[in-house]
């Protein structure tokens, strides 16, 4: 798999995601500085990592969404190339309008770092085919602004077209207000673009790839990507 | 020198915190009246914070060396060798006074400062910890302070990208007007890639790096050393604002630069900014320094030399650069969008010369600014002797199951999850033991090694008996590291005390240091860095003596570690170490009986070491994986915490007849660990313990859904957890922090 | 030249902070507050000498960065 | 009754956000911006009928919650 991880000033989980990609595919991804205008030739997957790009000042992801490299990421996505945005990466994708909606401050107004169950909503995508339909995975969240919201039309479109990737849930896969850790509309933790080649998600699968460090439920995502690329 | 400069009046000297005799000493040193800039410089260098004038004498007695110590006290951070060419740099520092005035920004800048101390040494931060003390929960400001400090610590560390993996939080009315915010940072370096502050070579450029200089915290260092009065809410000094984004850029730029073999010396700008950093670099390298302030990147118009020299703007560094590397270095800083300016050079004059607008605004002997700083042997008296309390003389006001449930839901003993869930404790993907265990465990890169990290102190013990309290703080840090399977290697200390000009406070300081030193020596646990914070006092009332200990230990293989959670029904629990039912200064006596008194539990360092080495052996051989050290709240609380973590009940065996039940359950004898394993393993451990002369006693068996104390109503684990988990969120409910 | 840009949430967009502040004010005993919406202001210094040019530059700044026009409205005022 | 509260940083206090925005505007090619300071606005609905009472309540709200008076100034405007 040829993966590229874009690093912005203030990114801070780029090493974590690079490690997860390498673990799954055996190949270290290219690290691409935001000021570049092109992705490395032959890039299959672009990853926008977690962190606090530009300090999350103004709005999270806003300044990074306007950096040089994002034009190349847009073009890559338009060609059907795979794009994954995790946490700050998701925020950047929304600000860049590669995904609809916006991530507002958590409803409890606090940064929250904790384990959280997610329900995998579909498994026919490049990102999730290694999971089982409806599988409940245990990953972690670490964000202050993960409260996804969009106007009613956009929400309806996302739901109708089955573009919800993950929802916050309990250990049995039940979605309820109690398991909605940040106030997101319909407990949405991650969404796809219309062609399902772009995924944005708040939780951090890259920090759950190791039995010794909390568990391995994040691996499925990277293994899905790695096998798809290898094919 | 400048004609328009203000006259140096005795009032002005006093405002700078210099005592008349200190000023006289300075006059003698320079042989003329100083300029205002010089007065500012000396006031910064000679205040308590920079000169350690009250504490230096006593700090000298601490053990600071061991074969694995690469750098002891005296640099930005201490450094220890953890094998395979890897080193750990770490230090702890306080930001108490600023955090009381502006909790969010005070805490952020505290965290930022300590992270800089660590990466200045060439180490990439891999973990942060903190130790917090707040006033009584009933005090009107407490909630706001908790909310702001916790948000600030998280706000900075989360954005910077370091996992905050441990710490401690306590409440006591003696911190009402003077909270404690102690922050610790831990970084990973290569033993051959460590950077120091001593300048070298004459005529080398001195480079300013990072953010611009503003009028932030001018006289912050002086403020930190002046006793608070009732008006401090009104003082409204220029508060420093933390910028974790700039710090992250500074980290990456510094580490990138350090790869290029261009750095001769590097020093962060902390308290008293440019003054302290420039003087220290020169003095340590036996060189003079000349600064040209016209080149200092400023954020505000018309800043005077005085202001630039005393500004405490954050996220700045000073560096001595190899002249031929200037362009390469500058390109790196520009890439990261940071300021880079040559602001002076090293000289062979041993003078500290500062120029601004073509004028010399300061010209001082550089070594003497440090070496000739006042040094005090302040009078000290040891505290009144507290009697040992006979456990039989203390009646139990409630049954033990009720006392247990109550204790678990007190401000000091409740779960601190509400706090650490606001800290990103998982970033970097190496947190093997997250907050909530005994010590945190952070794996070193892909393993198998890891470090065990903790911060500890029991202020009420220190107040009751400073020497025992000092010993206990070190012993507890050592024990927490041991309880996860780590070999304790070294500590950093953060000595928070009241006004040293009061002989009883000075007595606490001297006593605690004596105890710390004894414990470090006996446990092979030297001090490699630290910080002193004095004058923690409001309206004449001092805080509890609080010498926070930050401990670092090593696990050769992180897969062999222990956690507190009970694993399965049928496992047998046992305590390693002797239980006498020591009730004096226990939280039971304080929170259940309403008596804050008595002598604290004595710390026998030889026993401490023997018991700990035994337990560590059990973990390292893979025999035992469930261990919890026994501290506040004694056996009952330790066992209940293990039950809550594992979601399994425990039935206590018949309690011993020779100790009152409540003293057995809640007494705080030291050097103890509760372990759990299957029955056969526990029997084998019993035999080993006997052979090794280590006290061992079976406590009970895991199973069911309640903690059962013989003859009492079972306490459901779920109910205990409810009280334990909810005290803090309930207390904080409704408070929103709004930085 | 000085200007102020005010960015506010569009009507109908949920404002969790505003709501929390409303709750906090009422528990602090500040009475009579029935709604709070939070927005941002930017106080901007400009090198321009013509108000029209400044206005145009700031409109551009808002459209491209300062406001997320999906959820936010903005207003530009030239102050001096 | 409607009011607007504007909270801005005191002069001299570092504004990391403003700094980052200034940098971003210049790299986006928005010209002539020489300084940005970010603040907050609160658009508040009140049950009061007397402007004086509303003003007093909001001053109280600012002192106790909306502004961090150690580093921020505030201004209350009654709009209607
Ligand atoms: N209590 C202490 N024990 C040991 N070393 C200390 C203690 N207090 C300060 N030091 C050491 O003295 C030096 C100066 O401390 P400090 O002024 O706090 O550092 P910085 O200039 O980085 O803020 C440091 O090397 C520190 O480790
Ligand atoms: Mg330092």
């Amino acid at each position: 798999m040829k993966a590229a991880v874009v690093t912005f000033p203030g990114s801070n989980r780029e090493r974590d995601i690079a490690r997860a990609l390498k673990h799954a595919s055996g190949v270290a991804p290219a690290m691409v500085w935001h000021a570049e205008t092109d992705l490395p030739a032959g890039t299959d997957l672009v990853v926008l990592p977690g962190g606090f790009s530009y300090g999350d000042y103004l709005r999270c992801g806003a300044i990074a969404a306007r950096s040089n490299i994002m034009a190349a990421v847009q073009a890559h996505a338009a060609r059907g190339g795979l794009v994954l945005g995790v946490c700050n990466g998701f925020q950047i994708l929304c600000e860049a309008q590669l995904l609809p909606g916006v991530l507002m401050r958590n409803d409890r107004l606090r940064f929250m770092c904790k384990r959280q169950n997610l329900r995998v909503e579909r498994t026919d995508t490049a990102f999730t085919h290694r999971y089982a339909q409806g599988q409940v995975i245990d990953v972690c969240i670490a964000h202050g602004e993960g409260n996804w919201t969009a106007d009613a039309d956009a929400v309806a479109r996302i739901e109708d077209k089955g573009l919800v990737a993950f929802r916050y849930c309990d250990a049995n896969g039940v979605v309820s207000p109690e398991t909605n850790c940040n106030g997101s509309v319909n407990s949405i933790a991650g969404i796809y673009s219309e062609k399902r080649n772009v995924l944005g998600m708040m939780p951090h699968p890259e920090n759950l790839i190791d039995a010794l460090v909390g568990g391995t439920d994040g691996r499925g995502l990277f293994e899905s990507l790695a096998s798809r690329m290898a094919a | 020198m400048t004609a328009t400069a203000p006259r140096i009046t005795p009032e002005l000297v006093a405002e700078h915190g210099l005592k008349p005799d200190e000023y006289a000493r300075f006059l003698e040193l320079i042989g003329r009246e100083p300029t205002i800039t010089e007065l500012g410089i000396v006031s910064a260098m000679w205040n308590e914070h920079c000169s350690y004038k009250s504490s230096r004498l006593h700090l000298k007695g601490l053990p600071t060396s061991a074969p694995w110590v690469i750098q002891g006290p005296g640099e930005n951070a201490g450094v220890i060798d953890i094998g395979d060419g890897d080193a750990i740099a770490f230090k702890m520092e306080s930001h108490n006074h600023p955090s009381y005035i502006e909790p969010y920004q005070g805490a952020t800048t505290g965290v930022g400062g300590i992270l800089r101390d660590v990466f200045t040494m060439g180490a990439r931060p891999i973990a942060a910890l903190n130790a917090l003390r707040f006033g009584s929960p009933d005090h009107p400001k407490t909630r706001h302070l908790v909310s702001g400090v916790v948000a600030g610590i998280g706000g900075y560390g989360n954005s910077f990208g370091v996992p905050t993996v441990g710490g401690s939080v306590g409440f006591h009315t003696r911190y009402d007007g003077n909270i404690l915010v102690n922050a610790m940072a831990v970084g990973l370096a290569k033993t051959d890639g460590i950077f120091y502050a001593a300048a070298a070579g004459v005529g080398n450029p001195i480079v300013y790096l990072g953010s611009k200089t503003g009028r932030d915290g001018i006289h912050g260092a002086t403020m930190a050393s002046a006793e608070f009065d009732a008006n401090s809410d009104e003082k409204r000094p220029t508060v420093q604002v933390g910028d974790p984004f700039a710090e992250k850029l500074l980290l990456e730029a510094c580490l990138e630069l350090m790869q290029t073999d261009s750095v001769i010396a590097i020093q962060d700008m902390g308290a008293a900014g440019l003054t302290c950093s420039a003087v220290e670099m020169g003095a340590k390298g036996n060189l003079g320094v000349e600064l040209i302030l016209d080149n200092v990147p400023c954020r505000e118009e018309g800043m005077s030399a005085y202001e630039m020299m005393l500004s405490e703007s954050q996220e700045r560094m000073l560096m001595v650069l190899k002249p031929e590397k200037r362009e390469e270095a500058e390109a790196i800083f520009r890439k990261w969008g940071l300021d880079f300016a040559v602001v002076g050079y090293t000289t062979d004059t041993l003078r500290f010369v500062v120029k601004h607008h073509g004028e010399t605004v300061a010209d001082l002997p550089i070594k003497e600014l440090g070496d000739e700083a006042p040094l005090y042997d302040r009078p000290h008296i040891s505290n009144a002797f507290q009697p040992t309390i006979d456990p039989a003389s203390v009646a139990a006001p409630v049954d033990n199951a009720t006392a247990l449930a109550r204790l678990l839901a007190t401000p000091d003993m409740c779960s601190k999850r509400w706090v650490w869930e606001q800290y990103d404790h998982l970033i970097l993907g190496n947190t093997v033991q997250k907050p909530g265990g005994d010590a945190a465990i952070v794996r070193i890169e892909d393993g198998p090694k890891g470090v065990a990290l903790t911060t500890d102190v029991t202020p009420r013990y220190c107040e009751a008996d400073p020497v025992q309290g000092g010993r206990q703080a070190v012993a507890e840090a050592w024990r927490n590291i041991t309880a996860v399977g780590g070999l304790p290697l070294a500590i950093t200390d953060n000595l928070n005390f009241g006004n040293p000009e009061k002989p009883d406070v000075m007595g606490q300081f001297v006593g605690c240091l004596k105890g710390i030193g004894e414990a470090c020596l006996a446990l092979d646990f030297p001090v490699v860095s630290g910080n002193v914070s004095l004058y923690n006092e409001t309206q004449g009332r001092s805080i509890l003596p609080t010498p926070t200990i930050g401990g670092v230990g090593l696990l050769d293989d992180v897969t062999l570690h222990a956690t507190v959670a009970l694993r399965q029904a049928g496992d047998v629990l046992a305590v390693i170490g002797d239980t006498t039912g020591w009730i004096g200064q226990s939280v039971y006596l304080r929170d259940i009986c309403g008596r804050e008194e008595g002598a604290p539990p004595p710390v026998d360092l030889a026993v401490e070491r023997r018991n700990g080495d035994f337990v560590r052996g059990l973990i390292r051989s893979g025999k035992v994986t469930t261990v919890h050290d026994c501290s506040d709240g004694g056996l009952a609380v330790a066992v209940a915490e293990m039950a809550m973590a594992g979601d399994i009940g425990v039935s206590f065996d018949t309690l011993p007849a020779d100790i009152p039940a409540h003293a057995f359950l809640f007494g705080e004898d030291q050097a103890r660990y509760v372990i759990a394993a299957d029955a056969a393993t526990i029997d084998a451990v019993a035999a080993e313990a006997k052979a090794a002369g280590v006290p061992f006693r079976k406590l009970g068996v895991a199973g069911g859904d309640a903690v059962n104390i013989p003859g009492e109503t079972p306490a459901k684990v779920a109910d205990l957890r409810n009280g334990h988990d909810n005290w803090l969120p309930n207390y904080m409910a409704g408070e929103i922090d709004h930085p | 030249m000085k200007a102020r840009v005010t960015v506010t949430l569009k009507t109908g967009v949920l404002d969790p902070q505003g709501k929390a502040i409303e709750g906090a004010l009422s528990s602090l005993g500040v009475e009579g507050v029935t709604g709070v919406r939070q927005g941002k202001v930017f106080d901007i210094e400009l090198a321009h000498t013509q108000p029209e040019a400044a206005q145009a530059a700031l409109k551009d700044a808002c459209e491209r960065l300062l406001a997320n026009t999906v959820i936010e409205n903005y207003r530009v005022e030239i102050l001096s």
Side-chain angles (χ1 to χ4, degrees), chain A, chain B, chain C:
Chain A
M1 163 165 75
K2 260 199 117 173
V5 175
V6 179
T7 314
F8 301 96
S11 293
N12 63 24
R13 263 186 167 88
E14 74 278 12
R15 282 160 218 271
D16 303 26
I17 207 128
R19 188 193 221 177
L21 287 164
K22 172 145 190 236
H23 193 279
S25 69
V27 185
M31 304 305 281
V32 179
W33 185 236
H34 70 103
E36 302 287 330
T37 48
D38 297 305
L39 293 165
T43 296
D44 301 305
L45 167 70
V46 180
V47 181
L48 307 185
F52 284 71
S53 58
Y54 294 93
D56 272 1
Y57 299 146
L58 184 60
R59 297 179 306 277
C60 41
I63 299 178
R66 285 138 181 99
S67 58
N68 277 352
I69 195 70
M70 287 307 292
V73 175
Q74 294 264 12
H76 173 79
R79 282 194 303 270
L82 296 174
V83 180
L84 170 65
V86 173
C87 199
N88 196 222
F90 185 16
Q91 296 163 339
I92 294 168
L93 290 174
C94 289
E95 275 285 343
Q97 295 184 23
L98 274 157
L99 291 173
V102 55
L103 293 142
M104 311 274 284
R105 190 124 184 237
N106 294 348
D107 59 354
R108 273 155 255 185
L109 302 190
R110 285 195 298 271
F111 184 96
M112 222 181 321
C113 176
K114 62 168 197 147
R115 298 297 284 272
Q116 172 70 48
N117 289 304
L118 295 185
R119 193 172 73 199
V120 181
E121 297 290 286
R122 62 190 297 168
T123 56
D124 57 349
T125 75
F127 301 92
T128 55
H129 62 89
R130 285 290 177 97
Y131 291 116
Q133 181 67 34
Q135 185 179 340
V136 176
I137 59 172
D138 173 16
V139 293
C140 74
I141 57 163
H143 60 248
E145 292 171 84
N147 181 350
W148 184 83
T149 185
D151 62 50
D153 290 349
V155 174
R157 199 163 55 243
I158 293 252
E159 292 286 1
D160 292 349
K161 295 192 172 165
L163 299 178
V164 177
F166 305 100
R167 286 183 218 269
Y168 304 113
C169 66
D170 70 9
N172 299 314
V174 177
V175 171
S176 71
E178 288 70 53
T179 59
N180 187 351
C181 55
N182 56 25
S184 290
V185 172
N186 298 351
S187 290
I188 287 173
I191 53 173
Y192 295 111
S193 62
E194 302 245 344
K195 286 189 280 178
R196 297 196 291 278
N197 61 322
V198 180
L199 167 64
M201 63 190 296
M202 285 315 294
H204 290 285
E206 74 275 26
N207 286 138
L208 276 300
I209 57 159
D210 188 338
L212 195 59
V213 186
T216 54
D217 279 5
R219 277 192 194 167
L221 187 123
F222 299 100
E223 285 167 2
S224 296
L225 286 165
S227 75
R228 185 56 59 95
M229 295 294 94
Chain B
M1 302 202 186
T2 322
T4 54
R7 289 231 2 107
I8 308 296
T9 60
E11 292 73 35
L12 196 60
V13 170
E15 262 172 48
H16 279 77
L18 288 174
K19 303 265 149 88
D21 55 326
E22 293 175 344
Y23 183 64
R25 184 191 187 103
F26 180 53
L27 281 184
E28 194 182 323
L29 199 64
I30 64 171
R32 60 175 163 75
E33 177 165 300
T35 65
I36 180 70
T37 305
E38 288 173 332
L39 180 64
I41 289 171
V42 76
S43 79
M45 292 300 301
W46 286 8
N47 81 11
E48 194 63 59
H49 201 83
C50 288
S51 72
Y52 289 86
K53 59 192 171 193
S54 302
S55 60
R56 231 152 71 215
L57 194 65
H58 302 282
L59 293 176
K60 282 194 201 132
L62 293 174
T64 59
S65 58
W68 53 88
V69 173
I70 294 175
Q71 175 65 54
E75 273 287 338
N76 286 301
V79 186
I80 57 172
D81 190 334
I82 58 162
D84 312 308
D86 295 327
I88 292 289
F90 67 104
K91 185 168 187 279
M92 182 159 37
E93 201 156 82
S94 63
H95 232 207
N96 303 337
H97 293 97
S99 299
Y100 182 78
I101 291 172
E102 212 310 278
Y104 185 91
Q105 297 299 348
T108 62
T109 47
V111 173
I114 197 64
L115 287 168
R116 256 183 334 275
D117 273 332
V118 161
F119 70 76
T120 305
M121 304 293 299
R124 179 177 282 278
I126 58 167
L129 297 94
N130 54 83
L132 312 177
R133 289 291 181 284
F134 299 100
S136 158
D138 303 330
H139 189 271
K141 286 198 82 162
T142 300
R143 220 180 244 102
H144 165 72
L145 292 168
V146 173
S147 162
V149 165
V150 170
I153 290 174
Y156 206 96
N158 299 345
S159 175
F160 177 83
V162 65
T164 301
V165 296
S168 60
V169 185
F171 298 85
H172 197 283
T173 183
R174 293 272 293 280
Y175 304 104
D176 279 351
N178 198 128
I179 62 173
L180 301 184
V181 175
N182 294 176
M184 173 172 167
V186 180
L188 176 65
K190 287 288 167 200
T191 50
D192 60 1
I194 293 163
F195 291 80
Y196 298 96
V202 173
N204 285 328
I206 294 176
V207 181
Y208 172 114
L209 307 170
S211 297
K212 294 189 192 326
T213 297
R215 295 188 173 93
D216 312 283
I218 290 180
H219 268 193
T222 310
M223 176 178 84
S225 305
E227 185 179 330
F228 259 17
D229 57 41
N231 291 331
S232 59
D233 283 349
E234 261 40 79
K235 263 186 207 157
R236 308 272 143 108
T238 325
V239 169
Q240 302 147 251
V241 170
D243 182 355
F245 172 56
E247 178 110 327
K248 167 73 171 162
L249 304 181
L250 191 56
L251 163 76
E252 298 298 344
C254 284
L255 293 187
E256 192 173 326
L257 180 66
M258 285 167 174
Q259 300 297 315
T260 63
D261 189 31
S262 4
V263 180
I264 295 173
I266 182 160
Q267 165 79 18
D268 72 301
M269 291 192 226
L274 196 49
T275 293
C276 262
S277 53
V279 169
E280 276 178 27
M281 290 179 97
K284 280 186 180 153
N286 281 315
L287 292 169
V289 163
E290 180 160 330
L291 294 181
I292 298 122
L293 295 183
D294 308 75
N295 298 346
V296 170
C298 286
R299 196 171 83 225
E300 294 177 57
E301 307 263 306
M303 287 190 63
S304 69
Y306 177 91
E307 289 171 324
M308 282 189 244
M309 291 310 293
L310 294 181
S311 161
E312 293 193 348
S313 290
Q314 301 288 298
E315 291 92 22
R316 302 179 302 162
M317 296 265 195
L318 210 56
M319 176 178 76
V320 180
L321 187 68
K322 292 189 180 162
E324 68 276 15
K325 297 280 190 170
R326 175 175 167 166
E327 271 171 32
E328 192 180 346
E330 182 160 358
I332 290 172
F333 274 77
R334 296 282 173 233
K335 169 185 154 194
W336 288 98
L338 295 166
D339 271 296
F340 176 105
V342 174
V343 295
Y345 48 89
T346 54
T347 69
D348 60 3
T349 61
L350 285 176
R351 306 282 304 173
F352 184 51
V353 176
V354 181
K355 294 186 171 162
H356 192 213
H357 298 328
E359 252 181 278
T360 299
V361 293
D363 184 353
L364 299 168
I366 202 162
K367 298 284 278 184
E368 286 77 356
L369 278 176
D371 297 349
E372 295 293 314
L375 174 64
Y376 296 119
D377 183 2
R378 299 207 186 269
H380 49 91
I381 51 170
S382 59
N383 286 46
F385 166 81
Q386 295 247 14
T388 299
I389 296 179
D390 175 5
S393 73
V394 179
V398 294
D399 66 72
N400 292 308
T402 304
L404 177 60
R406 273 196 210 161
L407 276 182
L408 288 172
T410 54
D412 279 355
M413 305 295 290
C414 71
S415 165
K416 300 303 178 320
R417 176 184 292 271
W418 183 90
V419 172
W420 52 256
E421 275 189 352
Q422 295 184 56
Y423 304 150
D424 190 336
H425 48 268
L426 299 170
I427 188 169
L428 306 184
N430 283 324
T431 307
V432 174
Q433 172 63 59
K434 67 177 186 178
D438 281 331
I441 303 174
V442 176
R443 184 175 54 190
I444 300 299
E445 294 179 330
D446 292 323
K449 271 185 313 194
V451 286
L453 309 168
T454 181
T455 65
D456 294 284
V457 61
T458 312
R460 63 181 188 281
Y461 294 174
C462 295
E463 165 119 328
D465 183 336
V467 177
Q468 291 297 344
R471 288 174 161 212
Q472 196 275 343
V474 176
E476 189 174 346
W478 191 87
R479 207 181 301 146
N480 275 318
I481 291 168
T482 296
V484 300
L487 179 67
L489 289 181
I491 65 168
T492 179
D493 60 13
N494 200 148
L495 308 173
N496 307 277
F497 289 83
N499 180 347
E501 294 164 41
K502 295 186 178 165
D504 58 329
V505 171
M506 198 61 206
Q508 294 172 339
F509 184 80
V510 173
C512 283
L513 268 182
K514 179 165 185 289
I516 289 170
E518 289 169 359
C520 290
L521 205 58
L523 299 173
D524 268 332
F525 203 27
V527 180
V528 298
S529 61
N531 172 254
V532 179
S533 172
L534 301 175
Y535 298 94
N536 288 290
E537 213 168 59
T538 323
Q539 293 170 278
R541 197 168 67 140
S542 73
I543 59 161
L544 292 176
T546 313
T548 313
I549 302 299
V552 176
L554 179 65
L555 290 92
D556 296 324
D557 178 355
V558 282
T559 61
L560 290 172
H561 73 269
T563 59
V564 305
L566 291 178
R567 277 156 215 275
Q568 58 202 2
D571 274 4
V572 176
L573 289 86
V575 56
I576 302 297
D578 220 10
T579 302
T580 69
W582 191 281
I583 203 144
Q585 292 299 337
S586 64
V587 291
Y588 179 88
L589 190 66
R590 185 186 72 186
D591 294 340
I592 302 297
C593 309
R595 294 168 56 185
E596 215 167 328
E597 58 191 81
V603 178
D604 182 327
L605 295 163
V607 167
E608 196 63 69
R609 182 165 187 148
R610 182 196 65 199
N611 295 0
D613 289 348
F614 179 76
V615 170
R616 190 181 317 105
L618 296 176
I619 301 168
R620 294 196 151 194
S621 62
K623 281 185 202 131
V624 174
T625 56
T626 304
V627 177
H628 190 8
D629 89 304
C630 195
S631 54
D632 286 350
L635 286 175
V637 164
V639 166
E641 286 171 346
M642 297 169 81
M644 290 187 295
D647 206 11
I648 305 178
V650 173
S651 292
F652 274 95
D653 296 344
T654 311
L655 303 183
D658 54 337
I659 303 171
H662 58 289
F664 176 77
L665 290 168
F666 298 106
E668 296 182 1
D669 294 280
Q670 298 293 299
R672 292 184 301 164
Y673 302 80
V674 178
I675 63 171
D678 60 68
T681 304
I682 288 293
D683 286 342
V685 170
E688 258 186 72
K690 188 161 183 208
V694 171
F696 170 98
R697 158 179 223 124
K698 275 191 200 169
L699 286 177
V701 60
D705 63 355
V707 174
N708 291 291
I709 298 168
E712 299 196 12
T713 313
K716 283 248 193 296
V717 173
D719 295 340
L720 294 176
R721 187 185 303 111
N722 212 13
H724 185 61
D725 281 357
N726 289 333
W727 186 86
L728 194 52
N730 288 345
Y731 172 71
M732 293 305 297
E735 174 73 24
I736 66 168
D737 189 74
H738 219 253
Chain C
M1 191 159 267
K2 281 186 200 314
R4 170 167 284 187
V5 171
T6 310
V7 174
T8 50
L9 278 178
K10 291 186 175 166
T11 321
V13 177
L14 190 76
D15 178 12
Q17 301 216 67
K19 245 176 43 189
I21 291 164
E22 199 178 317
L25 286 176
S26 109
S27 57
L28 279 175
V30 177
E31 308 217 327
V33 173
T34 58
V36 179
R37 305 274 289 168
Q38 183 170 346
K40 303 186 185 108
V41 290
F42 303 95
D43 286 321
I44 300 184
E45 305 263 355
L46 294 140
H48 297 79
T49 48
Q50 303 295 325
E52 296 72 25
Q55 182 87 34
L58 289 176
K59 183 167 188 314
D60 187 36
C62 287
E63 288 287 337
R64 292 172 62 198
L65 181 68
L66 297 180
N68 178 347
T69 51
V70 178
I71 52 166
E72 293 172 328
N73 294 318
Y74 63 87
R75 215 173 84 110
V76 174
E77 290 160 279
I78 304 293
L79 303 177
S80 67

